[in-house]
Structure formats: C-alpha cells, structure tokens
Amino acid sequence: MKAILATGLQVSLREDAIGEVLHFGYVNAPYSAYNEIQQLPPASLAIWRDGKVSVSRYWSPDFSTENTISYEDAVVETKRLITRSVERRLISERPLGSFLSGGYDSTVVTALMVELMSERVKTYSIGFSDARFDESKFARGVAQHLGTDHFEEILNPDPALILQQLSNSLDQPFADSSIIPTFMLAQFASKDVVVALGGDGGDEVFAGYDRYLAAPVMQRLNPLLAIASPIASSIAASRSIKNSKQSRKLLRVLSQVQSHASLADRYRSVVSLAQYADRKSLLSEASLSEVEYQRFSSDFARSGARDDLSRMVRSDFEWYLPGDLLVKADRATMANSLELRSPLLDRELVEWAVRLPSQYKIKGKQTKFILKDIARSLVPAELIDRPKMGFAIPRADWLRTGLRTMSFDLLTDSTAKARGWFKPGAVEKVLQEHQSGIDRDTLIWPMLMLELWARTWLDR
C-alpha cells in the first residue's frame, strides 16, 4: 500500500472500513481502507488489458470431497507431506532458523528441521515478564529435547514505543495485537538469521481452534440460548466479576450466548472483536456499516463445503488467515528484513488435509487430533500436551499503564472527534470503564489502532 501511496495517488477513506476493523480487526480483500485501491484476493490473477482490469481465481482448495482412508494411513501420509514441505523450505543460501513456541505446530516443524538438517538448528522464542503470557519455558523444554541451538529473550517492553515503530509498517488499519510479540520475535531472530520457518496455518489446516467445537454446539442449543441470553447479558455486564484470564474468557463466551439464525451468523459472532451492540453504541451512524457482515455470511453459506467443520475452516481460509494472520506475519517479519516461511501452508499439504475426514481432525473434545498425534511421535507428549495459550500480550494491563496516556490522547482529542467515526461520549465511557477494572480492551484496541493508522497514513 505504501508504494502505491508514494506515487502521489489521491485517495479517500472507504467509510465501511471503520466498522470492518472494529468488527474483525482487519480489512479483507478485495477491498482496502481506500475507495481508490483494491486488494487482490488469495490465489487470484489480476490482468490489465486495453485499459480494463479483470480478476480471476486460479486455485481453491476442495472442501467438498472427503478421502476414504484409515486413520493409521492418514497419519503416515500426513507426516510424509509435512516432512516434504519442511524440506522444500530449507533451501536457503542465507542463515536459517525456526520460530519455536513449544506448541504443536512449531514443534512439528522444528523437530522435522532437526531430522532433515545436517547442521544444528537455531530456534528462537520470546516471553514476557508476566507469566500469564510467557510460553518461553515450554519452548525451552522442546528445544532441550531436540538439541537445538536455542535463543530466548524475556521482554518488558515499552508498548507505546513498539506501536510507534509498527505504525510505519501498518499502512492499513490492523487490530490484531499479537503483531507486537510477532514483531519483537522477528526483531530478536533477525540478529542471527535471514530466513525462519514457523507454524502458521496449523490451526486452520488441521482444525485447531476451540471455536470449531463450540460454534456448532451453540447453534444446536439455539432454543435454550434464546432463554439464557438475558441472563448471560446481565452477568457479562456485571462489575463483580474479577479480571482473571479465565473470567475474561467467560465474559467473551457469555457475550455470545444468544440465538442466531444460522451457523454463518453464529460463527461471525464468535470471530468478532466487538459484538453488534458494542459497535452500535460506539460507531457514529455514518460508520455503522454492516456490509462486511453480509459479505462474511454470504461467503460462509455458499455451496461447496461438505460439513460444518469444512464451512468454518473454509471461512478462515478466506477471511482470518489471509486478512489477519498472514498480514501480521508478513508485516512483522519484513519490517525486520526477515523472511518467514510456513510449511503447514504448503499447497500439496493443504489439498490433502482439507479432504481428510473431519473426525481425524476433531475427535470428541480434542481439536487438531491428527497433528497432535504426529507431534507426539516426534517429542514426548508431556512436553506439548497443555492448554493452548496463543501468542498474546498483556493488552488489558498495558492499556491501564504504558498505553493509558496514548489511548486517552489519541481517542479523545479534537482530531479524533473531528473524524466523526465514533461517538465521543461512548468512547470516554469505555476508556473510563477499563481504567476502573472492567476489561474493555477488545473495544479500545481496534479504536486505538484505527486512530494511530489515521495519524500516520490518512493525515499525510
């Protein structure tokens, strides 16, 4: 985007993008934050001829077909394909390493690197001084078992400074706060290596998210949820719930305890940053657009997926993965001159994995079943069998401490108010509620990132 803007092209804000960022945290193709610029969707060709542009898709994974294969044979073939994928991505004339969190995805990739490489593999992980967000001890255990040359750093950063650095790379509004640890990990690893392998895509390709379990169950309970919704809303609004990590997760679940007409609407609600009631209370009438809701639901419900899991995974392939996760990885690593490669998103592997029987990926209450079995064949189970943490930051705490001044200054001054994106009184209320101890970071963060983007890029 910044290269296009550097040509001097006159651009104007696409108003729908404001609600889209508050809704999902990113702007998804084919639109951008500007009326005059579009993004090319994944696996698509844009052809300019005789003054006209046509866009066509040249590849799409097949979610309609299911392979007939025994589980044992599926494990063998899946492991073989992952190994081939890792091997292809080890071709490099420059120093190469691995991002290691100690989770299943990065562990599988790193363990296969150890098997395939003649030299000792360099692995990198970071952690935070806040133990709730520190995975470094898990990565260290895996690294010790695999015998890698392991580097780790425990950070206590200045979040305002990091955001200022990131704003120069985020030429579109982007509200996934995990870009901060990704950026810092890339910065750390780039001191030694130019290429790194990571585990991106494992949760989508092999169905690793809890929402793949929860959304269909909640949809089947729709009649009960219609009764429970007022009770849940009352609990979610209560100030008596303490702000532990578990209670924040409970509040997020409670906010979604309502009846939805379809699984598409349910899933959209589950992946949303801000629910409709919050968007309506915060956004001005001009910014309260539900265009992205209609696009998401229509895309989710289209034909070509054989079951509910396939529909949810396909949706993430079209929205969350290319709009959020891969944008985050690309911006964070390239800002530090580091090339990140993702073996679990290899075309051959993806085409195989999406056709695996759904019960091989989700078994009972366990997600990512087949990949976990492969991981356990490479390292002892006790090193990796643990609750999923995610690559998160102490965001709520930062907004009360190191980012408090920035958030109040940027979201309540005359410049922000003049944009007309948000209702000033509602913004003030959310900021004050957060300072009083009620976590409102899922609302404040996208608003803050929108305003920071506007100051850096829109107001140029």
Side-chain angles (χ1 to χ4, degrees):
M1 187 71 73
K2 65 172 69 174
I4 297 174
L5 296 176
T7 67
L9 175 71
Q10 296 300 304
V11 293
S12 57
L13 174 71
R14 184 175 67 88
E15 294 286 348
D16 292 341
I18 306 306
E20 190 169 346
V21 173
L22 195 64
H23 197 161
F24 295 110
Y26 53 90
V27 179
N28 200 34
Y31 304 109
S32 80
Y34 301 105
N35 289 309
E36 296 76 11
I37 301 173
Q38 288 197 335
Q39 299 185 87
L40 188 64
S44 298
L45 290 173
I47 299 175
W48 182 86
R49 181 182 288 118
D50 299 329
K52 296 181 180 180
V53 176
S54 62
V55 176
S56 60
R57 187 151 187 164
Y58 61 83
W59 177 83
S60 185
D62 177 9
F63 287 96
S64 63
T65 305
E66 181 175 286
N67 283 346
T68 302
I69 187 174
S70 70
Y71 181 74
E72 292 73 19
D73 289 342
V75 169
V76 172
E77 179 62 8
T78 303
K79 187 175 181 179
R80 185 188 71 82
L81 289 172
I82 296 174
T83 304
R84 277 170 52 91
S85 176
V86 170
E87 186 174 24
R88 279 196 286 266
R89 284 157 184 80
L90 294 179
I91 301 171
S92 176
E93 296 177 352
R94 308 296 297 277
L96 181 147
S98 170
F99 285 176
L100 180 62
S101 69
Y104 296 102
D105 304 335
S106 65
T107 295
V108 167
V109 170
T110 304
L112 292 173
M113 289 175 69
V114 170
E115 288 186 3
L116 293 165
M117 292 176 64
S118 56
E119 64 267 33
R120 197 174 182 192
V121 176
K122 294 183 182 226
T123 52
Y124 299 86
S125 66
I126 61 167
F128 293 99
S129 53
D130 187 333
R132 295 173 299 168
F133 302 92
D134 182 20
E135 287 188 296
S136 61
K137 61 183 178 182
F138 304 116
R140 191 184 315 130
V142 171
Q144 288 173 349
H145 175 80
L146 294 175
T148 68
D149 190 6
H150 188 61
F151 303 87
E152 69 174 52
E153 189 173 42
I154 305 300
L155 304 167
N156 189 19
D158 178 347
L161 180 61
I162 295 294
L163 279 187
Q164 291 290 353
Q165 291 177 302
L166 274 171
S167 65
N168 293 320
S169 298
L170 296 176
D171 48 12
Q172 286 206 89
F174 186 77
D176 184 342
S177 58
S178 66
I179 194 173
I180 291 181
T182 307
F183 177 86
M184 299 178 78
L185 176 58
Q187 192 174 56
F188 177 48
S190 66
K191 297 173 184 177
D192 300 320
V193 297
V194 179
V195 178
L197 272 62
D200 285 330
D203 284 317
E204 289 78 18
V205 175
F206 293 103
Y209 295 123
D210 288 341
R211 60 178 180 253
Y212 295 148
L213 282 170
V217 171
M218 294 174 77
Q219 197 59 20
R220 286 195 292 271
L221 295 175
N222 242 355
L224 293 176
L225 296 182
I227 300 171
S229 181
I231 302 171
S233 299
S234 176
I235 296 173
S238 171
R239 295 182 179 222
S240 63
I241 295 182
K242 296 182 180 179
N243 281 312
S244 66
K245 187 176 180 180
Q246 289 74 21
S247 61
R248 284 196 297 272
K249 188 173 182 179
L250 173 62
L251 288 178
R252 182 171 175 80
V253 171
L254 288 174
S255 70
Q256 297 158 358
V257 174
Q258 53 186 297
S259 179
H260 286 285
S262 65
L263 181 62
D265 291 345
R266 168 74 58 196
Y267 198 67
R268 178 189 54 80
S269 174
V270 169
V271 300
S272 295
L273 290 181
Q275 298 299 310
Y276 178 74
D278 289 320
R279 298 197 303 276
K280 187 175 181 180
S281 69
L282 284 168
L283 289 166
S284 67
E285 187 172 341
S287 299
L288 185 60
S289 169
E290 290 295 292
V291 171
E292 78 286 348
Y293 152 70
Q294 294 160 4
R295 280 207 300 132
F296 184 96
S297 297
S298 176
D299 182 64
F300 188 100
R302 63 186 165 88
S303 62
R306 65 183 183 270
D307 56 22
D308 287 345
L309 178 61
S310 298
R311 290 183 189 91
M312 291 183 287
V313 170
R314 183 182 64 181
S315 177
D316 283 344
F317 266 62
E318 298 290 332
W319 289 75
Y320 184 53
L321 188 58
D324 186 327
L325 295 186
L326 298 182
V327 171
K328 172 188 70 176
D330 180 68
R331 298 296 185 274
T333 53
M334 294 310 294
N336 290 288
S337 301
L338 181 73
E339 178 191 345
L340 183 64
R341 299 175 179 176
S342 305
L344 299 181
L345 288 172
D346 178 83
R347 179 191 57 81
E348 186 180 29
L349 176 62
V350 168
E351 290 178 345
W352 164 260
V354 298
R355 294 196 297 264
L356 285 174
S358 293
Q359 63 267 27
Y360 292 177
K361 288 177 276 190
I362 290 185
K363 186 174 182 179
K365 296 182 179 180
Q366 189 169 174
T367 60
K368 204 153 50 179
F369 189 79
I370 190 168
L371 190 69
K372 289 178 179 179
D373 268 357
I374 292 170
R376 295 179 191 117
S377 74
L378 296 167
V379 299
E382 59 267 21
L383 290 177
I384 50 177
D385 283 349
R386 56 183 173 85
K388 185 180 180 69
M389 283 185 70
F391 207 19
I393 59 169
R395 185 176 64 189
D397 294 342
W398 283 3
L399 287 169
R400 294 189 182 98
T401 53
L403 291 176
R404 183 187 186 281
T405 299
M406 176 186 277
S407 60
F408 273 85
D409 287 350
L410 289 184
L411 294 177
T412 63
D413 70 2
S414 58
T415 301
K417 291 177 180 177
R419 297 192 199 284
W421 294 351
F422 300 103
K423 299 172 184 175
V427 173
E428 288 267 11
K429 180 183 177 184
V430 166
L431 289 168
Q432 294 297 344
E433 285 178 348
H434 189 75
Q435 294 304 315
S436 73
I438 302 173
D439 281 346
R440 307 291 269 164
D441 51 303
T442 57
L443 303 179
I444 297 172
W445 191 266
M447 291 193 295
L448 177 60
M449 296 307 291
L450 275 163
E451 186 59 34
L452 188 60
W453 166 78
R455 308 273 173 129
T456 308
W457 295 98
L458 193 62
D459 298 345
R460 300 168 73 117

